[in-house]
Amino acid sequence: MTACLCNLNAQARNADDKGSLPVTLSGQDIPLEKVLKSIEKQTGLRFNYRSELLNINEKVSVNFRNRPLDEILGQLLQPRGFAWKYIGTAITLQLSVNTFTDTLINFSGKVMSAEGTPLPGATVVLKGTRNGVSSNADGGFSLRAPGNGTLVVTYTGYQAQELRIGGKREAMVQMVKAVNEMNEQVVVAYGTTTQRSNTGAVTVIKGSQIENLPNRSFDKSLQGLVPGLLVTNGTGQPGGGVANMVVRGISSGSD
């Protein structure tokens, strides 16, 4: 998608109150890095931040016209856990004290299954950043992270887990297997199987779909809901028993 980053009010670059500098930005799905560079160009200030903590490739949408710099930074950075301060001609970004502590610690942990089996190759990422590592053959990992940060742990076939560091130096993460709909049981004729094992066409009709229909028999209720199903009466008399149930030309049952 084409984005337009307007560059207006460059004359305000030398203003004493940097937070009130007017900035105009407009565009959809723009990399955050491009937005920051446009702010630098308009204000004459430069951003100073640790690249491993800020995802500058993240796409954002902006629509500001002559808005104060502090207002724009608040909407762009605060939801991402960042605070900022002006030092000379630089805008220094740091993790917000409301979300993280400023002190980085060496944190280590182990990723295990519910059965206690180590899970090698699990991805451990500091939430809101691209700072992450993979667990080793024993399920272990270590990284530097803010003491009050949150880690997001993912592993194929398992539900993602969040781990709040909370000042701890180490912890174990126990993963829970994800629900696989292909293993859910379905009723087939007079038995059960799983969706993964079943290779034929199965139509599931729930009770809620037919409970309010005017038909008094379940066989009449099924007709029109099951593709290719034809139900015929045996006697031709109202209320007569089911003579035959035919699905795509094949007799499936009779009374």
Side-chain angles (χ1 to χ4, degrees):
M1 179 177 295
T2 302
C4 171
L5 290 175
C6 303
N7 181 18
L8 300 177
N9 299 294
Q11 67 274 12
R13 293 175 184 174
N14 296 321
D16 292 332
D17 187 0
K18 301 180 180 67
S20 64
L21 290 172
V23 176
T24 294
L25 302 167
S26 178
Q28 299 291 321
D29 297 325
I30 311 168
L32 181 58
E33 180 181 27
K34 190 173 182 180
V35 174
L36 298 183
K37 287 186 179 301
S38 180
I39 293 175
E40 290 180 336
K41 187 175 181 180
Q42 293 184 52
T43 63
L45 304 173
R46 60 179 178 82
F47 284 97
N48 181 23
Y49 56 89
R50 295 173 56 181
S51 59
E52 69 270 19
L53 296 182
L54 182 65
N55 182 7
I56 59 176
N57 294 316
E58 180 183 356
K59 299 293 183 65
V60 298
S61 296
V62 290
N63 185 19
F64 303 103
R65 182 173 180 80
N66 294 335
R67 303 308 303 164
L69 177 58
D70 275 342
E71 177 184 330
I72 295 175
L73 294 181
Q75 295 196 35
L76 286 175
L77 300 176
Q78 285 180 346
R80 293 165 177 82
F82 283 85
W84 64 95
K85 57 184 177 181
Y86 304 103
I87 303 177
T89 59
I91 306 173
T92 300
L93 306 185
Q94 60 185 13
L95 295 172
S96 172
V97 294
N98 294 325
T99 307
F100 305 106
T101 60
D102 290 334
T103 304
L104 295 177
I105 63 173
N106 293 319
F107 184 84
S108 61
K110 203 164 189 177
V111 183
M112 310 286 287
S113 68
E115 296 75 27
T117 304
L119 298 178
T123 301
V124 183
V125 177
L126 178 62
K127 188 174 182 178
T129 75
R130 295 181 295 168
N131 181 24
V133 296
S134 296
S135 60
N136 59 27
D138 297 321
F141 66 90
S142 62
L143 77 167
R144 286 181 60 76
N148 200 30
T150 299
L151 301 179
V152 179
V153 185
T154 56
Y155 191 80
T156 302
Y158 289 77
Q159 298 177 21
Q161 300 290 331
E162 290 195 1
L163 172 65
R164 189 169 183 81
I165 297 175
K168 299 188 295 292
R169 297 280 178 171
E170 60 181 19
M172 185 183 75
V173 183
Q174 191 173 62
M175 304 295 286
V176 178
K177 286 187 177 180
V179 176
N180 189 344
E181 294 182 355
M182 294 302 294
N183 289 326
E184 292 184 356
Q185 287 193 332
V186 295
V187 177
V188 181
Y190 299 101
T192 61
T193 185
T194 64
Q195 292 188 30
R196 183 184 300 279
S197 301
N198 179 60
T199 58
V202 175
T203 299
V204 178
I205 305 299
K206 297 182 180 180
S208 59
Q209 294 177 257
I210 63 176
E211 62 182 357
N212 295 320
L213 295 178
N215 302 310
R216 294 187 177 182
S217 62
F218 82 93
D219 48 293
K220 294 297 189 300
S221 298
L222 292 178
Q223 190 160 346
L225 294 178
V226 178
L229 175 64
L230 175 64
V231 180
T232 59
N233 288 334
T235 62
Q237 299 297 321
V242 177
N244 203 17
M245 299 177 70
V246 179
V247 181
R248 298 183 180 90
I250 303 175
S251 178
S252 300
S254 59
D255 193 12

